[in-house]
């Protein structure tokens, strides 16, 4: 079994792959090893590498009084754009992603909540030209047992 964090990423990926434009293979990936081919755009990359996951001790959070952790996972959905109007394309994709995530705030009971914190369309600050990328940043609150990060805590 995987860390609960991986189970959470898998649940998010399942939601995003259900969006029609992202249903093809490699359209939604957790982390990428290389560039995305132009014909595969638009695409989404799931990551948490922009920020650290924060955890605090949660006493007596297991069925036998075990300690656990309250965790706060920063999950970024990187949007790779293709359209001639990237800002509009970003907003259209945001509508689809936010709707998919909004109907599953608890991600099938894996988390306490998955809330959108920020979104951003990236542009070159000197020219105002789109960098054809953006992010939707979610804060995922969840609990694990201290001795078993695969298990959700009470």
């Amino acid at each position: 079994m995987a860390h609960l964090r991986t189970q959470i990423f898998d649940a998010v990926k399942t939601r995003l792959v259900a969006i029609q434009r992202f249903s093809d293979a490699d359209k939604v990936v957790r982390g990428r090893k290389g560039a995305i081919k132009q014909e595969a755009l638009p695409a989404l990359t799931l990551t948490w590498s922009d920020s650290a996951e924060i955890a605090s001790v949660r006493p007596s959070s297991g069925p036998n009084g075990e300690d656990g952790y309250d965790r706060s996972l920063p999950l970024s959905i990187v949007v790779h754009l293709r359209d001639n109007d990237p800002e509009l394309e970003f907003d259209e994709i945001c509508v689809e992603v936010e709707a998919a995530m909004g109907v599953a705030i608890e991600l099938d009971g894996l988390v306490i909540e998955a809330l959108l914190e920020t979104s951003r369309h990236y542009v070159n600050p000197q020219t105002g030209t789109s960098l054809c990328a953006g992010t939707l940043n979610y804060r995922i609150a969840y609990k694990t047992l201290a001795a078993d990060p695969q298990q959700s805590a009470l």
Side-chain angles (χ1 to χ4, degrees), residues 109-142:
L110 290 174
V111 305
I112 298 166
E113 60 188 6
L115 298 177
L116 179 65
E117 273 191 335
T118 63
S119 56
R120 182 176 179 191
H121 173 238
Y122 294 98
V123 297
N124 179 320
Q126 283 78 35
T127 65
T129 304
S130 175
L131 298 176
C132 292
T135 57
L136 291 103
N137 299 299
Y138 283 81
R139 180 65 56 183
I140 312 291
Y142 71 107

Side-chain angles (χ1 to χ4, degrees), residues 23-88:
S23 61
D24 292 343
D26 296 327
K27 286 280 200 167
V28 181
V29 174
R30 180 179 176 189
R32 292 191 184 267
K33 294 186 259 181
I36 304 168
K37 294 180 181 175
Q38 180 72 22
E39 57 273 6
L41 294 174
L44 303 173
T45 302
L46 308 177
T47 185
W48 64 290
S49 60
D50 285 345
S51 299
E53 180 181 54
I54 300 167
S56 57
V57 174
R58 187 176 210 294
S60 301
S61 58
N64 299 312
E66 307 96 325
D67 285 343
Y69 292 114
D70 285 332
R71 295 178 181 254
S72 181
L73 174 66
L75 186 145
S76 293
I77 301 171
V78 180
V79 181
H80 309 276
L81 304 166
R82 175 188 183 128
D83 203 302
N84 288 333
D85 189 348
E87 192 168 333
L88 180 59

Side-chain angles (χ1 to χ4, degrees), residues 1-8 53 67-69 71 110 142-153:
M1 189 176 228
H3 194 289
L4 191 52
R5 180 174 45 241
T6 293
Q7 296 173 55
I8 292 166
E53 180 181 54
D67 285 343
Y69 292 114
R71 295 178 181 254
L110 290 174
Y142 71 107
K143 301 177 278 190
T144 62
L145 294 178
D148 188 357
Q150 302 173 98
Q151 292 292 341
S152 187

